Amino acid sequence: MLAFFRVLSRLPLRVLHAAGVLAGLAAYALSGDYRRKLRRHLALAGYPRSLRGAAAREAGRLVGELPFVWFRPLAEVAARVRCDDVAVVDAAERSARGLLFLTPHLGSFEVTARWYSARRPITVMFKPPRQPALARVMAAARSGPTMRSVPAALAGVRAMLRALRRGEAVGLLPDQVPGAGEGRWAPFFGQPAYTMTLPLRLAQASGAVVVLAVGERLPGGRGWRLHLERLDEAPGPVALNAAMERLIRRFPAQYLWGYNRYKAPSGAAAA
């Protein structure tokens, strides 16, 4: 599978996006579970039926672009990213306090860490997939000279805290549903969602600067526009979800509405 991803990475980005659109629409048409989740979550957020197709197409583009983002040379990927907010990370780096990137399931969340790794070292946390072949692909994609991946476990948390205390950057997906005991219920588009407390604990333990990051996907295979903004309030579950909502409202079609955001982890107290 790794060799297959490397072959796909040689295709132009616009071709990968086009193939992804077909895959996204096919998944929406063929998977009843995915279709129900996408429809329900859009409705809960107050979005019209007309956004369903766009959301399915953007989810397909996300999957389609992964070989390009993961296995094209780092400099080539970074060159496709436009960022008008570099001053945000410049100021954070000058503080030497560590940099905590929070990137929701919005736009190309994979490209944000890749872009920063072309600048300075970054440690990213991810939950390995259950399929061994795909886990090997993701491990190869998310590791390199300036990018280190750690598992969503205690060892990974410790590694991230050490990186922050060295003044380095770390990144994670703050709207990923944590395990029981690792989160609190907080409103997300008006519904209770089990939300991780890890960003708050990392920020409190390290004094890191917290930065929200979104890789907006540009049309026509042109690449991405990276939006960065500092979060000055403590990234607790309520504040975190409010910030995520605000970002999603800017690019609603590019959020992964099919993600099971409202699930209750086994063993977690009822909302």
Side-chain angles (χ1 to χ4, degrees):
M1 183 177 285
L2 180 57
F4 178 64
F5 268 76
R6 293 189 185 278
V7 170
L8 288 180
S9 72
R10 300 171 188 167
L11 295 174
L13 184 58
R14 65 180 183 278
V15 173
L16 293 171
H17 277 168
V21 166
L22 296 177
L25 292 175
Y28 182 81
L30 300 175
S31 173
D33 183 58
Y34 171 66
R35 187 167 59 250
R36 282 189 296 271
K37 288 176 183 174
L38 186 146
R39 289 178 173 180
R40 176 175 178 267
H41 295 163
L42 280 171
L44 288 175
Y47 284 106
R49 296 165 59 95
S50 58
L51 194 62
R52 295 173 180 177
R57 289 191 292 272
E58 289 297 336
R61 288 189 180 99
L62 168 65
V63 175
E65 72 192 8
L66 289 178
F68 189 101
V69 174
W70 283 349
F71 296 110
R72 281 290 183 107
L74 180 57
E76 186 175 344
V77 175
R80 293 290 192 101
V81 179
R82 296 169 51 189
C83 182
D84 299 323
D85 306 319
V86 177
V88 174
V89 293
D90 286 340
E93 289 166 353
R94 285 195 299 270
S95 72
R97 291 163 47 195
L99 182 54
L100 173 55
F101 280 107
L102 300 180
T103 307
H105 289 86
L106 178 62
S108 183
F109 47 87
E110 290 283 347
V111 86
T112 58
R114 294 279 289 172
W115 172 84
Y116 189 82
S117 71
R119 178 185 178 102
R120 288 193 176 186
I122 184 171
T123 300
V124 294
M125 174 177 283
F126 76 104
K127 185 180 294 184
R130 296 178 181 178
Q131 302 88 341
L134 185 56
R136 287 192 291 271
V137 171
M138 293 177 66
R142 291 171 168 169
S143 298
T146 55
M147 185 171 174
R148 178 190 179 195
S149 61
V150 296
L154 181 58
V157 173
R158 288 172 173 166
M160 296 183 87
L161 187 55
R162 288 194 296 268
L164 288 173
R165 287 173 172 167
R166 291 193 301 267
E168 296 178 359
V170 304
L172 55 85
L173 296 166
D175 55 344
Q176 196 162 35
V177 180
E182 299 171 355
R184 294 201 305 266
W185 293 99
F188 184 66
F189 289 108
Q191 305 297 316
Y194 200 65
T195 306
M196 63 172 63
T197 56
L198 178 58
L200 179 62
R201 290 185 282 127
L202 287 173
Q204 289 176 335
S206 66
V209 176
V210 181
V211 173
L212 304 172
V214 175
E216 176 194 4
R217 189 174 301 107
L218 299 176
R222 298 202 310 270
W224 307 269
R225 179 182 288 109
L226 182 58
H227 302 269
L228 304 171
E229 61 179 82
R230 179 167 173 165
L231 182 65
D232 289 319
E233 59 186 311
V238 174
L240 202 54
N241 281 353
M244 297 303 104
E245 282 189 37
R246 178 169 48 79
L247 292 172
I248 292 165
R249 294 289 187 195
R250 293 178 63 185
F251 318 103
Q254 295 195 19
Y255 186 62
L256 279 186
W257 295 102
Y259 177 63
N260 196 7
R261 181 66 186 90
Y262 297 103
K263 69 179 179 181
S266 177

